[in-house]
Amino acid sequence: MDAFTAGILQRIEKTEADLDQARATGDDFLAEVEQAELEDLQRLANEHGVRYEAVSHA
Protein backbone atom coordinates (compact mmCIF):
# COMPACT_ATOMS: atom_id res chain seq x y z
CA MET A 1 0.00 0.00 0.00
CA ASP A 2 1.44 3.38 -0.96
CA ALA A 3 1.65 6.38 1.35
CA PHE A 4 -1.28 8.20 -0.29
CA THR A 5 -3.61 5.23 0.10
CA ALA A 6 -2.56 4.63 3.69
CA GLY A 7 -2.97 8.31 4.51
CA ILE A 8 -6.42 8.72 2.98
CA LEU A 9 -7.68 5.55 4.65
CA GLN A 10 -6.34 6.74 8.00
CA ARG A 11 -8.00 10.14 7.55
CA ILE A 12 -11.32 8.50 6.61
CA GLU A 13 -11.17 6.25 9.68
CA LYS A 14 -10.38 9.17 12.01
CA THR A 15 -13.09 11.37 10.51
CA GLU A 16 -15.65 8.59 10.87
CA ALA A 17 -14.69 8.23 14.54
CA ASP A 18 -14.90 12.00 15.05
CA LEU A 19 -18.31 12.05 13.36
CA ASP A 20 -19.58 9.25 15.58
CA GLN A 21 -18.30 11.11 18.66
CA ALA A 22 -19.96 14.37 17.58
CA ARG A 23 -23.25 12.57 17.02
CA ALA A 24 -22.97 10.76 20.37
CA THR A 25 -22.47 14.02 22.24
CA GLY A 26 -25.26 15.79 20.34
CA ASP A 27 -22.94 18.37 18.75
CA ASP A 28 -24.92 18.98 15.56
CA PHE A 29 -22.58 21.64 14.19
CA LEU A 30 -19.49 19.49 14.61
CA ALA A 31 -21.35 16.51 13.14
CA GLU A 32 -22.12 18.57 10.02
CA VAL A 33 -18.49 19.65 9.72
CA GLU A 34 -17.24 16.08 10.13
CA GLN A 35 -19.83 14.77 7.65
CA ALA A 36 -18.69 17.28 5.04
CA GLU A 37 -15.05 16.36 5.66
CA LEU A 38 -15.88 12.66 5.33
CA GLU A 39 -17.68 13.23 2.05
CA ASP A 40 -14.69 15.18 0.70
CA LEU A 41 -12.29 12.42 1.73
CA GLN A 42 -14.50 9.74 0.19
CA ARG A 43 -14.73 11.72 -3.06
CA LEU A 44 -10.94 12.09 -3.10
CA ALA A 45 -10.49 8.38 -2.45
CA ASN A 46 -12.90 7.51 -5.26
CA GLU A 47 -11.15 9.85 -7.69
CA HIS A 48 -7.87 8.03 -7.02
CA GLY A 49 -9.26 4.51 -7.03
CA VAL A 50 -8.77 3.96 -3.31
CA ARG A 51 -11.18 1.34 -2.01
CA TYR A 52 -12.57 1.79 1.47
CA GLU A 53 -15.45 0.42 3.45
CA ALA A 54 -17.79 3.07 4.86
CA VAL A 55 -18.47 2.71 8.57
CA SER A 56 -20.63 5.77 9.22
CA HIS A 57 -23.84 6.45 7.40
CA ALA A 58 -25.30 9.89 6.83
Side-chain angles (χ1 to χ4, degrees), residues 21-32:
Q21 181 66 27
R23 287 177 175 163
T25 60
D27 189 336
D28 294 336
F29 177 76
L30 183 56
E32 286 182 31

Side-chain angles (χ1 to χ4, degrees), residues 9 14 16 19-20 48:
L9 291 174
K14 176 161 183 356
E16 287 176 333
L19 175 57
D20 289 342
H48 292 275

Side-chain angles (χ1 to χ4, degrees), residues 2-54:
D2 63 39
F4 175 81
T5 300
I8 197 79
L9 291 174
Q10 182 179 29
R11 289 181 62 194
I12 287 172
E13 184 177 321
K14 176 161 183 356
T15 303
E16 287 176 333
D18 292 346
L19 175 57
D20 289 342
Q21 181 66 27
R23 287 177 175 163
T25 60
D27 189 336
D28 294 336
F29 177 76
L30 183 56
E32 286 182 31
V33 170
E34 296 296 347
Q35 182 64 48
E37 176 71 8
L38 181 59
E39 290 169 5
D40 286 344
L41 290 168
Q42 291 170 334
R43 178 190 49 77
L44 185 62
N46 287 331
E47 288 175 359
H48 292 275
V50 176
R51 297 180 56 98
Y52 61 90
E53 189 155 333

